[in-house]
Amino acid sequence: MTEWQTQSRIPLKHFYTNEDVRNLDYQESLSDPGSFPFTRGRRLDLHPGAAWIQRELSGEGDPLTSNAQFKYLLAMGQTGLDVIGDTPSVGLIDPDHPFAKYTVGNQGVSICCLQDYRDLHKDIPLDKITISYSLPASFAAAGLYLIAQENGISPSKLRGSVIQGPLYGEDCGYAVHLPISLRLRMSSNCVEFCSKEMPKYHHFVEDTYYFSEAGLDSIEEMALGFVEIRCIIRDLLNRGVNIDSFAPRIAILINCRMDFFEEIAKVRATRRLFSRMIKEEYGAKDPRSWAVVITCHTSGLSLTAQQPVNNIVRGAIESLALAIAGVQAIEISAFDEAYRTPSPESHFIALRTQQIIQSESNVTKVMDPLGGSYYVEALTDEIEKRIWEMVLKIEAMGDPAHLSEKGIFRSIFTNAMERYAKEIKEKKLLKVGVNIYEIPEEKDTLLKEVAERKIEPYLDRIEKIKEFKKSRDQKKLKQVLEGCYQKAKDKDENLMYPIIKATEGGGTMGEIAGVMRMAYGFDYDPYGMIKSPI
Amino acid sequence: MEKIRVLMAVLGLDQHEVGAISVSRALRDAGMEVIYLGRFNLPPKILKTALEEDVDIIGLSCHSWEFLYYISDLVQLLKDHNAKIPIIVGGSLLTHKDIKLLLEKGVAAAFGASTPAEEIIRHIKSIVENQ
């Protein structure tokens, strides 16, 4: 920043003193790691260096191609998996849909049926490796549940996570064309189901990463994150679900930009805010409910298409901040992020960056090493205050589900993107290679070719899915899809059971979502191109 | 001079819309009329709307590789209907090579990352004037 402020526009002094932390009470505001209010860390870890899960974003082509990617990453020392669906999969349409053609498998894995889940997880020890899915949550949880059972693994042993994003997905690249009431119900049903059947599974990940990539600052990111968490919690409580049955498995997947201390302070403020909210406002009694898991993706928006090699440095700085902040998992947005999902080369560099920080820098030996810093404590307080003010301001405007329908959030995202572009244009936010230290296009060659390499759509996959659809027991299929339709009409039913049954009976994500859409009075196909099978 | 009429659309399943909205606002501020088609469009719909709305130029915002395929389809469709409407393409993921390829395919102009709005406006005016 060229102005004396943080990236979130918090004014800065030239230095901080004990006057700035005058009101800081150690027990009240900080306490030891692992103690309420968890500012300094989720738990007291005697081996802090080994604590975070290292995973890089994967998912490309068909499920078997992505499975090979999994194995490559695990062989290089990755300690968890992180997979994203391609555009049709995250949008709940099947690869054989006419709209899907050129996006099958080239920006994530194409996945739609039970066999795909089998292929994706081939030879992966499901009870040992944690998998974070950026896929429609209810379907990913259903797929995992079924294949665990097939492999003789009790679902109660499953770890990993799914993202619940009912409020913002439609406006931020994950439109599934389902009404908000159904999206919210699916989130609550999934959380409730997993709490019972897959108790170790993180069924409630609040992903503030993807929507803040529109250009939101750290305050807006966390405020909207808390608004969504609170919206789902209220829905669950209204359904009579006990807070302590699911709160221990809430996690927040945050963004990490280049403002080093602000991002660290944000993590600390988030832990403190969450624990106070869940204990004091929602009455959680189980101490496990109070300490939220925080995982992270480093910011793709902070990376540049120009001089892609610089993105390696950005990833290192951002992940160092996260290691110091004490998060539970890190994914570095790879240097080719501006163009594509990660190449093997960028996977290698990103993973090695994490490993070097962990093994060589010694920063992780002491928990919360910045605790007590005049600056970081003052910034943590200020960020916490600003996040909470924004949460209350949004909630005062009305029910977040209605605000979502009215497009209130959409305008927040659009304005943030324009503000970000303006800050770069006016050089308020400096970006090396973009608005400072630029080089001529013809000299900008280092790693450029790797970054710009494109992935072709997997057209074969479309034919394969068409064949699969023909080969199914049509009578049984119709029966399970009818079942989904009927259960979706009854608002008291938990949709996870019919989704599991339909997936087992050969139904695909697109078909199951389509019949549920119909049950809510909408067209089977949001694009108006294909007919309902029931 | 009459207001320049621009059709603005995002192709296929590409969900990134902020670029299209942002450019649309800039064009409107520059005195143009923007017919905003939003996300989820295939070439036939773009052609149909362009003809119905009698636009001077079609603007496509691309943040997914779908443009590589759909642009050729759209150029062909316009030819088949004898519609001489120029196409411009913008998107942060467009590389130098992509821009060259798009121009070869018959696109009037293409813009990559960090192109100032003024440059896009200048190009649109000159393309439409020379039509």
Side-chain angles (χ1 to χ4, degrees):
Chain A
M1 303 301 297
T2 44
E3 292 177 8
W4 230 255
Q5 59 183 22
T6 68
Q7 204 173 324
S8 295
R9 290 166 295 282
I10 296 173
L12 288 175
K13 301 178 182 181
H14 287 82
F15 63 94
Y16 287 75
T17 70
N18 55 351
E19 278 300 301
D20 295 296
V21 293
R22 213 164 6 130
N23 299 324
L24 190 77
D25 178 279
Y26 185 79
Q27 285 308 327
E28 180 82 8
S29 305
L30 303 176
S31 198
D32 294 348
S35 300
F36 189 83
F38 304 94
T39 316
R40 310 201 62 198
R42 184 172 176 266
R43 63 164 100 162
L44 181 61
D45 202 326
L46 299 178
H47 306 281
W52 91 76
I53 296 170
Q54 297 170 358
R55 57 190 185 202
E56 289 302 323
L57 185 72
S58 55
E60 183 181 314
D62 55 25
L64 280 174
T65 312
S66 298
N67 178 262
Q69 256 188 336
F70 284 2
K71 288 172 183 166
Y72 166 75
L73 288 163
L74 291 171
M76 286 202 305
Q78 185 160 291
T79 52
L81 293 168
D82 184 359
V83 65
I84 188 163
D86 64 3
T87 310
S89 303
V90 297
L92 282 176
I93 69 170
D94 292 339
D96 59 335
H97 190 288
F99 245 88
K101 190 170 176 188
Y102 299 126
T103 50
V104 175
N106 57 359
Q107 284 179 320
V109 60
S110 171
I111 190 160
C112 73
C113 62
L114 184 55
Q115 185 56 40
D116 291 343
Y117 281 91
R118 291 185 188 119
D119 291 345
L120 182 66
H121 299 86
K122 197 169 163 247
D123 310 321
I124 304 295
L126 297 175
D127 49 346
K128 293 190 178 68
I129 293 288
T130 68
I131 308 176
S132 160
Y133 298 93
S134 291
L135 280 168
S138 308
F139 294 89
L144 186 63
Y145 177 83
L146 285 169
I147 57 163
Q149 284 187 327
E150 281 183 1
N151 286 297
I153 294 165
S154 163
S156 66
K157 288 192 174 153
L158 290 171
R159 293 177 178 277
S161 61
V162 280
I163 291 160
Q164 304 294 352
L167 288 186
Y168 314 124
E170 297 297 294
D171 296 327
C172 294
Y174 290 96
V176 289
H177 307 281
L178 300 174
I180 178 71
S181 52
L182 178 55
R183 301 201 304 269
L184 191 54
R185 175 182 170 193
M186 285 174 82
S187 287
S188 291
N189 287 173
C190 181
V191 168
E192 192 180 355
F193 170 86
C194 294
S195 301
K196 282 187 200 137
E197 306 287 339
M198 298 152 69
K200 288 186 176 169
Y201 198 69
H202 280 96
H203 43 60
F204 187 164
V205 177
E206 170 58 37
D207 183 354
T208 64
Y209 173 81
Y210 76 97
F211 66 73
S212 61
E213 280 287 277
L216 299 189
D217 63 35
S218 296
I219 311 290
E220 294 160 335
E221 173 198 354
M222 297 323 303
L224 290 185
F226 273 105
V227 165
E228 189 165 58
I229 291 172
R230 293 160 63 81
C231 177
I232 301 174
I233 288 179
R234 280 194 298 267
D235 193 64
L236 281 157
L237 298 180
N238 286 340
R239 291 171 194 275
V241 185
N242 181 304
I243 184 87
D244 283 317
S245 72
F246 65 88
R249 296 297 172 205
I250 299 177
I252 310 179
L253 167 53
I254 60 162
N255 199 347
C256 182
R257 306 166 189 74
M258 283 298 285
D259 193 324
F260 195 80
F261 291 108
E262 177 164 82
E263 294 298 333
I264 294 172
K266 177 184 85 182
V267 173
R268 302 174 85 245
T270 298
R271 282 195 292 251
R272 185 158 72 200
L273 262 177
F274 182 90
S275 68
R276 285 182 176 156
M277 174 188 83
I278 210 87
K279 186 182 178 197
E280 288 156 14
E281 186 177 348
Y282 294 116
K285 293 188 177 59
D286 185 343
R288 293 179 312 141
S289 298
W290 304 338
V292 70
V293 166
I294 296 186
T295 66
C296 188
H297 288 192
T298 63
S299 170
L301 188 65
S302 74
L303 308 184
T304 60
Q306 297 90 337
Q307 304 176 33
V309 70
N310 298 345
N311 295 335
I312 298 172
V313 182
R314 295 190 178 102
I317 291 171
E318 289 161 343
S319 47
L320 180 63
L322 294 165
I324 291 172
V327 301
Q328 278 65 57
I330 300 176
E331 184 253 302
I332 298 179
S333 283
F335 73 82
D336 46 8
E337 163 87 18
Y339 291 108
R340 52 169 289 164
T341 48
S343 58
E345 293 88 341
S346 69
H347 267 149
F348 181 84
I349 293 169
L351 188 54
R352 288 293 182 260
T353 306
Q354 295 203 38
Q355 290 163 338
I356 288 168
I357 291 170
Q358 193 201 323
S359 316
E360 300 182 18
S361 75
N362 222 17
V363 296
T364 57
K365 286 288 191 299
V366 175
M367 296 190 75
D368 191 34
L370 295 177
S373 146
Y374 301 138
Y375 172 38
V376 172
E377 295 302 354
L379 194 55
T380 304
D381 287 354
E382 184 61 28
I383 287 174
E384 180 185 17
K385 192 176 118 226
R386 288 182 182 221
I387 292 171
W388 202 243
E389 278 170 3
M390 190 172 171
V391 169
L392 298 181
K393 199 174 136 199
I394 292 172
E395 290 187 347
M397 291 165 74
D399 176 2
H402 292 153
L403 299 181
S404 169
E405 275 186 314
K406 275 175 23 195
I408 302 291
F409 301 123
R410 192 178 167 83
S411 64
I412 294 178
F413 300 130
T414 313
N415 292 338
M417 189 50 135
E418 292 200 336
R419 181 185 63 202
Y420 185 83
K422 198 165 165 246
E423 280 177 348
I424 289 189
K425 193 180 156 198
E426 293 173 356
K427 300 198 182 193
K428 282 185 180 152
L429 185 68
L430 295 178
K431 278 274 139 208
V432 170
V434 177
N435 58 11
I436 184 172
Y437 308 119
E438 304 100 308
I439 53 173
E441 176 104 32
E442 62 275 13
K443 287 199 175 154
D444 186 4
T445 53
L446 194 54
L447 285 185
K448 197 86 186 226
E449 203 157 306
V450 181
E452 292 185 357
R453 208 188 297 146
K454 291 190 169 61
I455 308 167
E456 295 287 324
Y458 278 62
L459 299 177
D460 292 354
R461 160 100 179 139
I462 299 173
E463 294 312 311
K464 246 182 155 172
I465 290 300
K466 280 184 183 164
E467 286 302 311
F468 159 73
K469 284 192 173 175
K470 274 187 218 146
S471 73
R472 294 175 297 183
D473 177 343
Q474 303 298 330
K475 201 174 147 205
K476 189 176 165 197
L477 175 72
K478 220 169 162 189
Q479 208 178 8
V480 290
L481 290 177
E482 288 274 7
C484 265
Y485 174 79
Q486 292 302 340
K487 301 273 183 190
K489 286 209 150 210
D490 181 348
K491 309 280 189 285
D492 293 329
E493 290 282 345
N494 186 317
L495 288 169
M496 283 303 292
Y497 297 98
I499 289 174
I500 288 170
K501 210 170 167 193
T503 307
E504 211 175 4
T508 62
M509 288 208 302
E511 292 165 340
I512 298 168
V515 298
M516 292 198 305
R517 208 176 272 124
M518 282 164 66
Y520 273 68
F522 292 82
D523 288 345
Y524 171 79
D525 177 21
Y527 303 97
M529 297 176 97
I530 54 172
K531 281 204 188 103
S532 162
I534 63 165
Chain B
M1 191 182 143
E2 270 186 48
K3 272 188 173 182
I4 295 177
R5 288 170 66 79
V6 187
L7 177 68
M8 184 68 74
V10 182
L11 283 169
L13 281 186
D14 187 353
Q15 299 224 7
H16 305 81
E17 197 178 8
V18 273
I21 294 173
S22 180
V23 173
S24 295
R25 281 186 187 169
L27 300 186
R28 203 176 309 165
D29 292 346
M32 299 182 194
E33 200 164 324
V34 179
I35 293 96
Y36 187 73
L37 206 49
R39 296 179 290 181
F40 310 122
N41 304 289
L42 294 183
K45 185 174 164 194
I46 294 172
L47 172 82
K48 189 168 169 269
T49 317
L51 293 176
E52 279 171 5
E53 294 285 344
D54 191 24
V55 298
D56 300 302
I57 192 162
I58 299 169
L60 301 172
S61 171
C62 301
H63 295 269
S64 111
W65 293 326
E66 288 164 274
F67 76 88
L68 288 169
Y69 312 92
Y70 287 135
I71 295 282
S72 310
D73 296 354
L74 182 61
V75 169
Q76 192 55 47
L77 268 178
L78 286 166
K79 259 188 207 154
D80 294 348
H81 287 77
N82 205 19
K84 291 196 177 71
I85 310 170
I87 304 170
I88 58 165
V89 181
S92 64
L93 91 172
L94 296 186
T95 66
H96 220 51
K97 276 186 203 156
D98 293 333
I99 291 174
K100 217 174 132 217
L101 183 80
L102 284 169
L103 296 176
E104 279 167 17
K105 285 188 178 187
V107 163
F111 310 97
S114 330
T115 309
E118 297 78 43
E119 197 180 323
I120 300 175
I121 293 164
R122 195 164 46 79
H123 267 89
I124 293 179
K125 284 183 179 162
S126 118
I127 292 165
V128 173
E129 272 167 27
N130 294 324
Q131 240 344 76

